[in-house]
Amino acid sequence: MTTLKAVRGTRDLLPAETGLWNRIEATARQVFARYNFGEIRTPVFEDTTLFARGVGEETDIVSKEMYTWEDRARAQSEKTQSLTLRPENTAGVVRAYIEHKLGETGQLQKLYYIGPQFRRERPQRGRYRQFSQIGAEVIGPVSAGSESPLRDAEVLEMLATLLDELGISGWVLKLNSVGSATDRPKYIETLRAALLPVVGQMCPDCQRRAETNPLRVLDCKVAEDQPFIDALPKIADSLDQASRDHFAQVCAALDAAGVPYERDHRLVRGLDYYTRTTFEFTHGGLGAQNALLGGGRYDGLSELIGGPKAPGIGFAMGEDRLVLTLQALESTKITLLDTKIDAYIAPLGEAQNPAALQLARELRRQGLSIELGDGSFRLKKSFEAADKVARAIILLGEDEAQSGILTVKQFSSGMQTKVARADLAAHLTASRI
RNA sequence: GCGGCUAUAGUUCAGGGGCAGAACGCCUGUCUGUGGCACAGGAUGUCGUGGGUUCGAUCCCCACUAGCCGCCCCA
């Protein structure tokens, strides 16, 4: 019989790793709360149409990376429906915003999510077929200020804070504006025209991109192409006055808040819905998948999927990549090592097992983390087992059971003391430091 | 989807056409209530899967699968 394994591009996260995952998520929730974001949980699968319309039919994500299937009809009256595992979460959030008429509240909606996403790409370090994103969206009617450049700047400032509090040092914020829904096609035409005479001398990928998606030419990393790319018209020059002003105000607010960023004229993003502000936080430790997070403004997305005008801005961070980055940082290793439980109870002889469970229950109910050994273990084995997981060992033998005075040894100091049962919890708590 | 590298013990890895190796970890004993050290002993495994060449394949060849690296793209 062949042994079953996790399918390609998916993986199990074992306790050694989930500790870090939980810490990241807890930090994110805490930061989001300070900025008045609330959590939203949308289904992991949606009607395929949502992604086709929202993310864009021609994007790689929709055209070749989605897990899509026909959900069969279970009755004559039912129709089959094409469903898709979500490849990203913004479309789902906007769908929920429309469906629950959140715009009718008149309030700006600040929503965050944490959860798995699915794309059928070739797996690589930092790139999995099931991966987790932590993201947030600020969306609402224009009257609620959803279009304000201050919203963009606040989101970016929040991200800088979050990365700092996670302990990720050395991130770089790259910022650009791709202009309004009318600026963008205008620029694409300008770019196409400028590429026409030179593209023949560029790399094969660029020749293809010049046809399919000229914006992506700007992303090319081939050294010989760089002079050509530098000479191309910049998108900044194709922006209308409103977009320019908007972007200038985003920058001004970031400057005032002291958030460092790099203006990157070449930053274009792969999802069709982005307008005006786009950004990326990168980190050098990630290899080819160097984007920790990406995002931008999507002023027309709601209308694209049949909703009211609801400008917004959001981002998605690759949680798997945050984990990889943090695992590479020395400080994380140190803090994660220091996660021992409060005590290990060693019953001396199997006769003490029931009493040991009783003691464990008592201490655990007082909030202590306790591991319970077994009376059949030899004392040496108990000590070895205890030292691996706990800061202290509690010996429970006949003497202790009768006297109610327990023997407690702290591993760090080697100090051994006799502690009355009633004082045990306080004693162990005090030794936490 | 394309190209490259890799796959041997729980882990990290060495090896090489003829009994499968090291280190660390694990288990036992020296040692019936005081561990970490030391000493002595022990268990590891379809050598990724399936074919082929060969008297014989873990080793050579082919295919597949998976991981990693690069491309594409993205988080």
Side-chain angles (χ1 to χ4, degrees):
Chain A
M1 192 152 83
T2 54
T3 53
L4 291 165
K5 302 197 304 184
V7 306
R8 186 151 147 96
T10 70
R11 62 215 175 110
D12 303 307
L13 302 177
L14 303 178
E17 255 189 291
T18 48
L20 181 52
W21 283 75
N22 284 324
R23 200 180 77 188
I24 288 170
E25 290 169 18
T27 304
R29 289 175 192 282
Q30 204 183 74
V31 170
F32 290 149
R34 297 212 300 264
Y35 287 78
N36 192 31
F37 279 75
E39 183 177 4
I40 183 169
R41 303 192 190 193
T42 66
V44 291
F45 56 87
E46 300 263 5
D47 194 303
T48 303
T49 313
L50 174 66
F51 304 116
R53 293 219 298 247
V55 178
E57 206 87 59
E58 292 81 31
T59 60
D60 277 17
I61 292 176
V62 172
S63 64
K64 49 190 188 196
E65 295 174 2
M66 295 204 303
Y67 285 99
T68 297
W69 72 98
E70 284 297 316
D71 198 44
R72 69 168 184 269
R74 298 181 62 103
Q76 287 276 316
S77 55
E78 239 179 9
K79 285 183 186 152
T80 63
Q81 187 180 15
S82 178
L83 302 179
T84 294
L85 290 178
R86 63 185 184 196
E88 58 95 58
N89 218 328
T90 299
V93 169
V94 175
R95 192 224 81 232
Y97 171 92
I98 297 166
E99 184 169 337
H100 300 286
K101 300 186 173 13
L102 298 181
E104 299 298 307
T105 63
Q107 302 302 303
L108 200 60
Q109 300 297 309
K110 300 169 82 173
L111 306 163
Y112 79 87
Y113 58 84
I114 298 176
Q117 319 291 335
F118 307 84
R119 293 181 199 172
R120 201 181 180 292
E121 293 186 273
R122 180 139 174 175
Q124 224 173 93
R125 181 181 169 81
R127 184 159 83 188
Y128 307 99
R129 290 182 172 184
Q130 175 179 331
F131 58 102
S132 180
Q133 287 189 334
I134 300 175
E137 316 291 346
V138 181
I139 182 171
V142 175
S143 61
S146 61
E147 241 176 342
S148 166
L150 185 57
R151 301 276 72 94
D152 305 41
E154 187 185 26
V155 163
L156 290 164
E157 186 276 322
M158 175 173 78
L159 284 166
T161 299
L162 176 54
L163 291 178
D164 287 344
E165 293 196 10
L166 284 171
I168 293 180
S169 48
W171 52 261
V172 174
L173 165 56
K174 292 182 176 170
L175 192 59
N176 195 17
S177 174
V178 295
S180 67
T182 51
D183 295 337
R184 205 163 137 147
K186 204 169 69 187
Y187 175 63
I188 291 173
E189 280 325 300
T190 310
L191 198 56
R192 237 187 254 278
L195 278 168
L196 211 54
V198 294
V199 75
Q201 303 163 63
M202 297 175 73
C203 74
D205 277 332
C206 280
Q207 301 192 17
R208 179 181 51 76
R209 286 186 283 230
E211 289 295 318
T212 58
N213 190 350
L215 287 177
R216 298 236 65 90
V217 172
L218 302 175
D219 255 356
C220 180
K221 286 155 203 134
V222 175
E224 296 77 44
D225 286 359
Q226 300 312 306
F228 296 111
I229 296 169
D230 288 336
L232 292 170
K234 289 184 168 53
I235 193 163
D237 300 325
S238 290
L239 302 189
D240 62 24
Q241 197 55 45
S243 291
R244 280 176 212 221
D245 291 347
H246 191 275
F247 190 62
Q249 289 176 60
V250 174
C251 294
L254 286 176
D255 290 338
V259 176
Y261 59 91
E262 284 176 14
R263 179 79 191 269
D264 185 348
H265 293 284
R266 293 196 191 177
L267 180 72
V268 288
R269 303 192 44 77
L271 284 69
D272 281 356
Y273 54 62
Y274 285 120
T275 55
R276 300 207 254 189
T277 311
T278 56
F279 56 88
E280 229 172 65
F281 282 71
T282 59
H283 196 276
L286 282 167
Q289 276 68 47
N290 71 344
L292 279 175
L293 69 94
R297 180 163 274 288
Y298 44 84
D299 291 339
L301 179 55
S302 175
E303 293 99 311
L304 268 182
I305 54 184
K309 183 171 168 67
I313 179 162
F315 64 87
M317 9 193 0
E319 195 175 1
D320 307 73
R321 293 183 186 178
L322 292 177
V323 169
L324 282 173
T325 306
L326 283 171
Q327 281 172 340
L329 293 169
E330 204 57 35
S331 57
T332 306
K333 290 176 189 161
I334 295 159
T335 54
L336 281 179
L337 278 179
D338 193 26
T339 51
K340 293 200 166 177
I341 61 172
D342 291 309
Y344 180 103
I345 298 175
L348 305 180
E350 288 177 54
Q352 301 303 328
N353 274 347
L357 180 62
Q358 192 198 357
L359 178 61
R361 175 173 159 95
E362 227 171 87
L363 295 173
R364 285 166 172 159
R365 286 196 162 202
Q366 292 176 81
L368 292 155
S369 51
I370 301 293
E371 184 56 273
L372 186 54
D374 192 275
S376 67
F377 294 169
R378 223 202 269 169
L379 193 59
K380 169 177 171 160
K381 181 170 171 173
S382 290
F383 266 89
E384 284 172 352
D387 198 12
K388 274 179 196 134
V389 299
R391 289 180 295 106
I393 184 168
I394 302 170
L395 299 184
L396 178 60
E398 241 176 276
D399 297 353
E400 286 82 0
Q402 268 165 28
S403 64
I405 311 279
L406 291 137
T407 308
V408 180
K409 183 163 184 175
Q410 298 291 339
F411 287 114
S412 58
S413 61
M415 286 257 294
Q416 183 163 313
T417 42
K418 296 275 185 184
V419 182
R421 189 169 183 138
D423 303 331
L424 196 51
H427 176 84
L428 291 170
T429 307
S431 73
R432 276 181 186 163
I433 311 168

